[in-house]
Amino acid sequence: MRNIKSMLGLLVLSATLLQTGCASLSKDECRYADWYDIGYRDGRQGFPGDRLVTHAKACGEHGVAPDRTRYLDGRAAGLGAYCTAQNGFAVGNSGSRYYGVCDDDPDNGFHATYALGQALYRARYRLNQIDHELGSVDGVIADKESSDKERAVAVLRRIELTRDRVIAARQLEELEYQAQSI
């Protein structure tokens, strides 16, 4: 089990480093860069426009300047793939950060589906919070070491949480129903 946790930790760290790009490119990446491809990947991942500045600083250390025009052309193409309704939903639903890179264009539908995805993410998160707190409250109620007052407070809190859980579950169901049309 410990080995699995270590592997999961490394996986999360690797994913984080890949997502942030470590804020630099290597000497070889700078020298042999296909700036259109780098721009496309950055756009496809929804990175903000100032990402080129980060690349310029990294490559400047190796005496290389990015091809701004090729980068921006690639980034624009990448944003075309990023700023879609389906991707907006995926980004919001995963809880990923959105850098405000998509135009407020109703044709691409990004913003509306991103908002729905975010709402789903928050609804699931809220339901998990309630379930976690219910577990804690149930522990206090079941604990023979708890005082009568602690149990009474826990029972009242359990009633509130049970009501909140029903409301949260209904909201989640409604949002999931709305998401079916995406």
Side-chain angles (χ1 to χ4, degrees), residues 4 25 31 34 56 61 69 71-72 94 132 148 155 164 167:
I4 292 171
L25 297 172
R31 281 193 177 157
D34 177 344
E61 294 176 9
T69 301
Y71 176 87
L72 293 175
S94 69
H132 179 74
D148 289 342
V155 167
D164 291 350
I167 293 167

Side-chain angles (χ1 to χ4, degrees), residues 17 20 88 91 181:
L17 290 175
T20 61
V91 170
S181 65

Side-chain angles (χ1 to χ4, degrees), residues 47-68:
F47 284 115
D50 64 356
R51 179 93 165 154
L52 180 59
V53 173
T54 302
H55 294 320
K57 286 180 185 176
C59 291
E61 294 176 9
H62 307 295
V64 177
D67 183 334
R68 185 176 194 277

Side-chain angles (χ1 to χ4, degrees), residues 1 9 27 38 60-61 88 114 122 126 128 134 145 152 178:
M1 185 68 158
K27 183 177 183 177
I38 292 170
E61 294 176 9
Y114 174 75
R122 286 192 306 266
R126 176 68 182 132
N128 285 335
L134 277 168
E145 301 289 319
Q178 291 174 25

Side-chain angles (χ1 to χ4, degrees), residues 18 22-23 25 30 41 49 72 114 121 123 131 139 141 147 170 176:
L18 284 173
C22 300
L25 297 172
C30 291
R41 284 184 281 138
L72 293 175
Y114 174 75
Y121 177 81
D131 287 342
I141 294 169
S147 69
R170 281 187 196 143
E176 287 173 338

